[in-house]
Amino acid sequence: MHDPEYSRTRIDSHRNSSNPTLTERIYHIFQDHTIERRREVAIRCMVVYLGEKEEDLFKEYVDGEDMSKALAGEVMKIMVNKAARTSDPASATIVIEATEVLRGLDLARACALLMGLFYALNLSYPRQLRHTFEVFQKLLLELDGLKASPKVMSLKQKLLS
């Protein structure tokens, strides 16, 4: 069985590591013990670990903000309601070409459904997030997992070791 106290101790020892942003994100797993929050932090950490920007996949907005203004010019994003994030995990909306496609999702489910939309609509992955979507496709969904970029294969080896 996994010992949470051991994990906290390990994370505390790495707080001054070479990637403080990643370490801080991981540390937030222990602030909220819901599975939805842990999945969100794991996905956000993966994006950072792969050297890509969270802002390219996620956009945070506040409840009072006009959603149409937040959507303007967005080709593909997962919009996350900043205010609702702490109390309600179902605060994500998938946006494709400035149009709300799905709403009321937790962040991990939004990522999974976005992959389904890519396949159903025959869309190509955004170039700036190619490694993130390759991990979703090849490691998490196990589609064509034997042919992957070196970066993704390296992550796979680290996860399996």
Side-chain angles (χ1 to χ4, degrees):
M1 184 84 173
H2 178 70
D3 180 18
E5 192 56 42
Y6 173 76
S7 297
R8 281 191 191 99
T9 306
R10 294 268 313 190
I11 289 172
D12 283 338
S13 69
H14 292 290
R15 286 184 73 87
N16 295 324
S17 72
S18 61
N19 194 341
T21 305
L22 186 61
T23 305
E24 282 300 313
R25 294 271 184 203
I26 293 170
Y27 191 75
H28 285 292
I29 288 174
F30 299 106
Q31 305 306 315
D32 182 357
H33 297 286
T34 63
I35 191 67
E36 291 85 5
R37 180 68 174 147
R38 287 174 181 244
R39 288 175 180 160
E40 176 182 348
V41 171
I43 290 169
R44 288 179 180 264
C45 287
M46 182 194 66
V47 172
V48 172
Y49 177 82
L50 293 169
E52 297 171 343
K53 297 178 185 172
E54 288 182 65
E55 300 82 36
D56 292 337
L57 181 58
F58 308 111
K59 183 171 184 176
E60 294 188 352
Y61 71 96
V62 183
D63 252 343
E65 186 179 345
D66 184 17
M67 188 69 151
S68 60
K69 287 181 184 176
L71 295 174
E74 297 297 345
V75 175
M76 185 280 317
K77 287 275 193 229
I78 296 175
M79 306 290 287
V80 181
N81 186 335
K82 200 175 195 177
R85 219 174 89 203
T86 55
S87 60
D88 179 20
S91 61
T93 302
I94 298 175
V95 175
I96 296 177
E97 294 185 6
T99 304
E100 283 186 45
V101 179
L102 294 167
R103 70 174 7 199
L105 307 166
D106 61 79
L107 192 119
R109 191 170 314 254
C111 289
L113 290 172
L114 183 60
M115 286 298 297
L117 287 168
F118 276 122
Y119 278 93
L121 300 173
N122 198 23
L123 301 172
S124 59
Y125 300 146
R127 188 133 180 82
Q128 66 272 24
L129 292 167
R130 71 178 186 270
H131 295 299
T132 297
F133 285 108
E134 186 180 4
V135 168
F136 288 161
Q137 175 188 342
K138 302 194 185 242
L139 298 186
L140 303 180
L141 297 175
E142 297 181 350
L143 300 172
D144 198 24
L146 298 176
K147 295 185 253 176
S149 69
K151 194 174 230 180
V152 172
M153 290 306 282
S154 170
L155 176 62
K156 181 178 182 178
Q157 291 303 318
K158 287 180 182 181
L159 290 173
L160 294 176
S161 64

